[in-house]
Amino acid sequence: MSSPNVPIGPQSITKDEIDKKLAAFDSVPLFMKSLPTEDTEDVTLAALQSLAHEGTPDEVAENFKEQGNEYFKGNRYREALGFYTQGIDAHPTDVVLQEALLCNRAACNLELKNFGSVLRDCSKALILNQHSSKAYYRSALALLLLERVDEALDCCNRCLDFDAENRGVLGVRDRATKAKAEKDRREREKAERSRKEKEEKHQMVIAFKERNLIAIQKEDGSSNPYSPHFDAEDPTQSTLVLPVFFLYPQYATSDVIQEFVEDTPFAAHISAMFPPQAPPADWDTKREYIDGNLVIYAMTHRKRLLKVGKKMTLRDVCKAAKGKENEPKDGLEVKDGCLTFVVLPKGDVETKWVEEYKKTRDAT
């Protein structure tokens, strides 16, 4: 009577366990994937080595090719490749056999994604036989997978010149034709994006010059995720939108307005950020930053201080920042893509900051 703890019938086995059992056969001479090339004291191995290389080079190579074919049918491409290589190394004299070994090894490398090796073996096969359809087919597949679609199409067309009904090559040509159309579409879109970017950069340079804006780039490149651009809602593409920093030097903190449309009054932003009825910002310990109790200052490139009126727009401030005739160029600095303004409460804080700014400016 069977024990209740002993399973009855065939038991399941994991893939890892199967692989381990198959790997164990590699040490058994009759089941080795390939025979060692060096001398051995193992009598069985020595006998097998002798048998494997017994006969003419063509017979030896044919034997290795047949073994490779068996492994290839079982999807064991790396082992099959080893046998085809041994067949090639046997230096057969039969050109048809040489071509077959090279094309078969290329088929293994195609499965293993060694596309450079595929192209090298197919090239050698085509030297032996200029009408080798298999070599053209596998070359075309490798080139297609490498996204070298023009070369893949060339391979297909060369083959179809003498083997017009080859379904495999026709299939690859169809895939390559579609891939080329897609590649061409992407390249056209990329070229169009590049053209638009260049045009926008050119228009931005003109817009900056017209608005007395002076771009100051960081030496180590921009770290600002926002950048000046034209308003997408303006069909004339003439309205500038810039990121703007509001600095609060009294508390060493700041806010960023990601998109400040140049025709928007500063008062619109201030009233939205500091409405009288809203709770104060965490850092506003004295409850001074309230709409109606604030002043805004702009600093020009030449360190002039401009007081911004509540009804002034960004475009108005840009005009006010323009330097006088016969004086060096002046304007607002766009540092790392951003404009900067100082926001202060009226009264002593404002007076003290203005005095310190002028003192520092005059000292330099």
Side-chain angles (χ1 to χ4, degrees):
M1 185 173 179
S2 299
S3 169
N5 296 324
V6 178
I8 298 174
Q11 304 302 305
S12 61
I13 185 169
T14 67
K15 185 178 182 302
D16 287 342
E17 290 173 323
I18 293 172
D19 290 340
K20 286 180 182 178
K21 291 183 182 296
L22 288 173
F25 282 99
D26 291 344
S27 60
V28 180
L30 284 172
F31 295 98
M32 285 183 172
K33 297 169 187 173
S34 59
L35 296 173
T37 55
E38 67 275 5
D39 293 335
T40 176
E41 294 181 1
D42 188 301
V43 176
T44 306
L45 272 179
L48 287 171
Q49 286 174 329
S50 177
L51 284 171
H53 295 278
E54 190 174 84
T56 66
D58 285 357
E59 291 171 340
V60 171
E62 182 66 34
N63 179 47
F64 281 125
K65 188 190 82 165
E66 294 302 324
Q67 292 181 73
N69 290 348
E70 290 302 315
Y71 275 98
F72 189 90
K73 289 175 186 176
N75 299 329
R76 298 178 69 177
Y77 306 115
R78 202 170 297 280
E79 294 92 332
L81 186 148
F83 281 113
Y84 293 138
T85 298
Q86 290 183 78
I88 292 167
D89 291 344
H91 303 294
T93 58
D94 185 340
V95 174
V96 174
L97 180 56
Q98 292 177 45
E99 178 193 344
L101 286 164
L102 287 165
C103 287
N104 288 2
R105 187 166 71 174
C108 293
N109 277 315
L110 199 57
E111 295 291 344
L112 296 170
K113 303 187 188 308
N114 300 325
F115 302 128
S117 297
V118 174
L119 296 175
R120 283 191 290 274
D121 277 348
C122 288
S123 177
K124 292 175 184 177
L126 287 167
I127 291 172
L128 297 171
N129 176 13
Q130 295 181 359
H131 290 170
S132 175
S133 295
K134 286 184 178 180
Y136 274 119
Y137 170 72
R138 284 161 192 162
S139 289
L141 267 179
L143 290 165
L144 180 60
L145 292 167
L146 288 168
E147 297 186 358
R148 292 161 60 178
V149 291
D150 290 318
E151 293 169 86
L153 281 170
D154 182 62
C155 272
C156 292
N157 291 332
R158 286 174 183 269
C159 182
L160 294 171
D161 282 343
F162 62 83
D163 190 4
E165 303 301 320
N166 190 305
R167 290 187 178 182
V169 177
L170 286 168
V172 176
R173 186 176 68 171
D174 184 54
R175 288 171 58 189
T177 300
K178 291 177 181 176
K180 178 173 171 55
E182 176 62 19
K183 181 182 177 183
D184 290 345
R185 182 188 65 79
R186 291 198 304 267
E187 288 179 352
R188 286 195 301 271
E189 289 179 352
K190 183 180 178 181
E192 180 61 16
R193 284 196 302 271
S194 178
R195 185 194 67 77
K196 286 183 177 179
E197 286 173 6
K198 287 180 181 178
E199 177 64 21
E200 185 167 320
K201 283 182 180 179
H202 177 67
Q203 293 299 325
M204 190 63 66
V205 169
I206 294 173
F208 269 41
K209 187 175 181 180
E210 290 175 346
R211 292 161 177 77
N212 310 302
L213 295 173
I214 301 170
I216 308 293
Q217 302 296 337
K218 289 181 67 175
E219 292 182 2
D220 57 350
S222 176
S223 58
N224 182 10
Y226 316 112
S227 60
H229 59 275
F230 292 102
D231 188 355
E233 296 182 4
D234 178 6
T236 65
Q237 286 288 285
S238 60
T239 303
L240 203 56
V241 180
L242 297 105
V244 169
F245 272 117
F246 277 179
L247 299 183
Y248 315 115
Q250 181 185 7
Y251 293 103
T253 188
S254 64
D255 281 320
V256 62
I257 300 171
Q258 299 173 14
E259 297 195 339
F260 196 128
V261 181
E262 64 177 340
D263 292 322
T264 304
F266 277 79
H269 288 289
I270 292 296
S271 62
M273 295 167 70
F274 303 104
Q277 68 276 14
D282 294 340
W283 45 265
D284 184 11
T285 57
K286 297 181 181 181
R287 191 79 167 87
E288 297 175 299
Y289 286 76
I290 302 170
D291 183 25
N293 189 48
L294 300 173
V295 290
I296 303 171
Y297 283 94
M299 295 80 69
T300 72
H301 181 63
R302 295 186 59 222
K303 309 302 181 186
R304 288 189 298 135
L305 201 58
L306 303 177
K307 194 168 185 177
V308 179
K310 286 188 65 176
K311 294 183 179 179
M312 291 181 73
T313 64
L314 188 55
R315 192 192 293 266
D316 294 331
V317 181
C318 290
K319 290 179 181 178
K322 183 178 180 180
K324 295 179 181 179
E325 290 186 15
N326 303 320
E327 288 188 358
K329 180 181 178 180
D330 202 8
L332 298 181
E333 290 185 344
V334 183
K335 291 185 177 179
D336 192 23
C338 271
L339 282 169
T340 300
F341 295 88
V342 170
V343 180
L344 299 158
K346 296 176 181 177
D348 293 342
V349 174
E350 175 193 2
T351 302
K352 183 180 178 181
W353 182 84
V354 171
E355 288 175 353
E356 288 180 354
Y357 177 84
K358 290 180 177 179
K359 183 178 179 181
T360 303
R361 177 193 64 189
D362 296 342
T364 57

